[in-house]
Amino acid sequence: MISAFCFQMGGVMVRNTYDFDCKEETSFWYVIKDSFDGMEELSSRCRGKVRRSLKTYDVRRVSAQELLAVGLPIYQEACKSYKVKADIITKQQFEDRIASCEKAGNTDFWCLYDRTTCQAVALAINTVYGDCCEYNTLKCKPSAMRNSTYPYYGLIYEMNRYYLEELKLKYVNDGARSITEHSNIQPFLIDTFHFRKAYCKLQVEYKWWMRLVVNLLYPFRKIIPFLSVKSVLRMELFNRNIRC
């Protein structure tokens, strides 16, 4: 059993999802896009923003070495701007992550460069699994987000085009429903680029003492101030299939 193995290795909880993209509306889902119709699928307002973005920025797939050279400030500045406090990645942690991704061999790195200054303002780290691609990380400098050049619009549009039209993958995936809700990227993808919720079933198993703690704290989940605890209790909410 996977859960027993994880507990033996020191874990205190295991999350399992199954029945991916089921027809039933559940409390948990992945945010995916499985079609691409170019500019025609977008609203006129969105098309204008994509064009403005692509006129302002170059979207490039880059090497791990290039991302190492320009990516850390983008990552750090983006995390500082989140409405929910996030740990700021260190230089060593960033280098270790890129090295690990490069070693895995199925990771794509993307950067968005300002055509005027030649400075990188956004990055993406994606992982390709057979017939799908997971958008693991999207980060953008807050200053670029505020200057009406719409950096994410061009980056996301080009990545969708590359994976769904050029590579003809089955779908791209922005991951599971956010537990911390530290950014608005998933609602943005659904509302703007026609990603959709692929509903699934969620099962969370705990060590006995962790289950006791979760059950004791669960009634107070709305008033507990600690993010790590709130996240566990929010996941338990989904585990009980309570839609919100």
Side-chain angles (χ1 to χ4, degrees):
M1 296 289 290
I2 294 176
S3 58
F5 174 76
C6 291
F7 293 154
Q8 289 172 4
M9 295 299 291
V12 298
M13 57 190 297
V14 178
R15 186 179 84 177
N16 177 44
T17 56
Y18 59 99
D19 283 355
F20 176 77
D21 205 13
C22 61
K23 294 182 180 180
E24 176 187 354
E25 289 191 13
T26 65
S27 63
F28 207 65
W29 57 74
Y30 286 79
V31 176
I32 73 169
K33 182 173 176 61
D34 51 8
S35 64
F36 181 80
D37 294 318
M39 290 286 189
E40 296 304 313
E41 71 178 9
L42 306 177
S43 68
S44 59
R45 185 177 182 183
C46 182
R47 288 197 296 270
K49 291 179 179 180
V50 170
R51 292 188 180 107
R52 176 74 177 272
S53 180
L54 295 177
K55 184 178 180 180
T56 307
Y57 302 105
D58 278 326
V59 183
R60 306 178 197 165
R61 287 179 62 219
V62 301
S63 67
Q65 290 69 33
E66 186 169 344
L67 190 64
L68 279 172
V70 302
L72 183 59
I74 299 170
Y75 208 115
Q76 291 178 328
E77 290 180 34
C79 289
K80 289 177 183 178
S81 70
Y82 290 156
K83 63 181 180 180
V84 175
K85 185 178 179 181
D87 292 333
I88 306 302
I89 194 169
T90 66
K91 184 175 185 292
Q92 188 61 57
Q93 288 171 331
F94 184 69
E95 291 175 351
D96 290 345
R97 181 178 179 194
I98 301 304
S100 177
C101 290
E102 187 178 24
K103 184 178 180 180
N106 62 337
T107 304
D108 288 340
F109 306 105
W110 295 73
C111 278
L112 196 71
Y113 285 90
D114 188 301
R115 291 177 182 267
T116 301
T117 66
C118 298
Q119 297 295 308
V121 301
L123 64 84
I125 302 174
N126 305 329
T127 307
V128 178
Y129 299 102
D131 60 357
C132 68
C133 177
E134 185 167 343
Y135 292 175
N136 299 117
T137 301
L138 286 169
K139 304 292 182 187
C140 183
K141 286 187 175 182
S143 57
M145 296 284 286
R146 293 192 294 264
N147 65 10
S148 300
T149 55
Y150 310 108
Y152 270 146
Y153 283 77
L155 177 59
I156 292 168
Y157 178 84
E158 280 300 301
M159 292 196 307
N160 290 344
R161 183 199 61 77
Y162 175 73
Y163 292 113
L164 295 174
E165 183 178 72
E166 189 170 333
L167 295 190
K168 300 188 183 305
L169 299 186
K170 187 175 181 180
Y171 63 89
V172 294
N173 174 17
D174 191 62
R177 181 180 185 179
S178 174
I179 300 297
T180 61
E181 296 186 323
H182 63 277
S183 79
N184 295 318
I185 188 65
Q186 291 185 341
F188 169 73
L189 292 174
I190 292 171
D191 295 340
T192 306
F193 287 96
H194 304 294
F195 280 63
R196 65 180 178 87
K197 296 175 182 178
Y199 291 99
C200 64
K201 308 289 179 60
L202 173 68
Q203 180 182 19
V204 183
E205 296 185 22
Y206 307 91
K207 272 194 171 181
W208 70 268
W209 61 265
M210 185 65 174
R211 163 58 70 185
L212 180 62
V213 171
V214 168
N215 285 339
L216 286 172
L217 295 180
Y218 182 78
F220 309 101
R221 63 190 180 278
K222 293 183 179 180
I223 61 174
I224 290 175
F226 305 108
L227 178 60
S228 58
V229 178
K230 287 173 68 74
S231 297
V232 172
L233 297 177
R234 185 171 171 80
M235 185 161 61
E236 176 60 18
L237 181 76
F238 302 151
N239 186 42
R240 299 184 185 194
N241 201 25
I242 298 175
R243 283 179 278 179
C244 61

